[in-house]
Amino acid sequence: MAVDKNMPILIVDDYKTMLRIVRNLLKQLGFENVDEATDGGMALSKVKEKKYGLIISDWNMEPMSGFELLTRLRSEETTKALPFIMVTAESKTDNVIAAKKAGVNNYIVKPFNADTLKQKISAVLGEF
Amino acid sequence: MSEMQVQLGNALLKALVDMKQTKKQLNIEDVGALFEQMASSLTNKESKADAFIRQEIEKIASHISHALTEIAAITPLDNEEGDEEDNIRNISFANAELAAVVKATEQATNNILDAADVIQEKVTGLTGDEALKQEIVDSTIKIYDACNFQDITGQRIGKVARTLDYLDTKISKLKRFIDESSVENNEVDEEFRDKRPDAKLMSGPQMPGSAPSQDEIDQLFANIK
């Protein structure tokens, strides 16, 4: 099934510069319907208001981390299958395992490049 | 354990209890002095084991004395009224410097990204060699890729700042524990003074806000006769 490039994507990171970088990389990949949140709490509010096709989230954020956002989403019937990619510098094995067990669809370690982002989105949503 | 060792242990314990009852609190130099006193009280008739213990006690006393001098040489960490040179050695000041590094790199990164945005925008509006246009766009994507560094360096510097905070807390506790009057400043051995190559250098770059602007410098410069 072809990936709908108009689907809304939510990117979550407490570094505004990272939001900008991810947004631009997504734009280069053809995804322009992108919203931003600066922590898990703000992301949860946005998810309640809008149906997103993909969430790309950082792990380390205050007050609500990306991991907590993931577990909250997975505990709700309406969002338990929402595609979720974790983008983080947390590359410890235990963290990756924990995220996987919590239901993350893919995991990108910072720093990353456009090719990596494309590969991971393809792996989650299908080739585009 | 020899009889002498047992006696030594008992005597040490009794002396510590007596001192605690008399002074209400024990400080580290009292304990050090006690060790020195006990070491010197041992006679020449001691066994090899006792001699070893005496030597160890002397070493402990020496280490305590050494540590006291070293700690006394540390510049006060909560020096609010110190001049800028004092502040250089203040851990809070170091943390502020690190925060300024993060801020400056973030600003620089955004400037780079602004420039990449402009290039992307301009190249989109151009007509002509499509391969060249794509090459330029690909290069701007590489700029975006490279700017990932800012997030990583920010997190790493944050970790260093937290480590400094931890050390600051521990050293402050240690300094409070030691009665500072016991080691006068003039007793601080030259060996322990700050000998970093940049210890006496200027403290620049100054923190944003406390630094004069270029306009202020220009005005000052113009007013100097």
Side-chain angles (χ1 to χ4, degrees), chain B residues 117-136:
Chain B
D117 282 347
V118 171
I119 294 168
Q120 281 183 353
E121 197 181 311
K122 297 287 182 193
V123 81
T124 308
L126 291 177
T127 53
D129 192 335
E130 289 299 320
L132 177 63
K133 282 172 64 178
Q134 191 55 50
E135 202 176 326
I136 294 170

Side-chain angles (χ1 to χ4, degrees), chain A residues 13-18 20-22 24-25 27-28 58 60 88-90 92 109-115, chain B residues 102 106 109-111 113-115 117 120 137 140-141 144-155 159:
Chain A
D13 202 303
D14 53 351
Y15 268 86
K16 293 235 166 75
T17 309
M18 276 309 296
R20 184 176 176 179
I21 289 170
V22 176
N24 189 275
L25 294 178
K27 184 181 170 187
Q28 298 306 322
D58 184 29
N60 285 322
T88 176
E90 291 287 345
K92 286 180 188 166
V109 177
K110 294 176 183 176
F112 63 95
N113 59 30
D115 287 341
Chain B
V102 173
E106 188 176 354
T109 305
N110 278 312
N111 290 343
L113 294 177
D114 285 344
D117 282 347
Q120 281 183 353
V137 169
T140 59
I141 292 172
Y144 269 89
D145 286 347
C147 285
N148 265 301
F149 85 92
Q150 197 271 324
D151 183 38
I152 302 293
T153 53
Q155 288 189 41
K159 282 184 181 175

Side-chain angles (χ1 to χ4, degrees), chain B residues 60-101:
Chain B
I60 292 169
S62 168
H63 283 311
I64 290 172
S65 169
H66 200 259
L68 279 171
T69 314
E70 235 176 303
I71 291 164
I74 296 172
T75 301
L77 301 174
D78 53 354
N79 182 4
E80 291 175 359
E81 295 176 358
D83 59 23
E84 197 153 25
E85 195 171 289
D86 289 332
N87 283 336
I88 293 169
R89 290 183 286 184
N90 184 307
I91 288 179
S92 308
F93 186 81
N95 271 345
E97 288 278 339
L98 291 176
V101 170

Side-chain angles (χ1 to χ4, degrees), chain B residues 203-215:
Chain B
S203 57
Q206 287 172 285
M207 298 300 291
S210 65
S213 67
Q214 184 60 54
D215 286 345

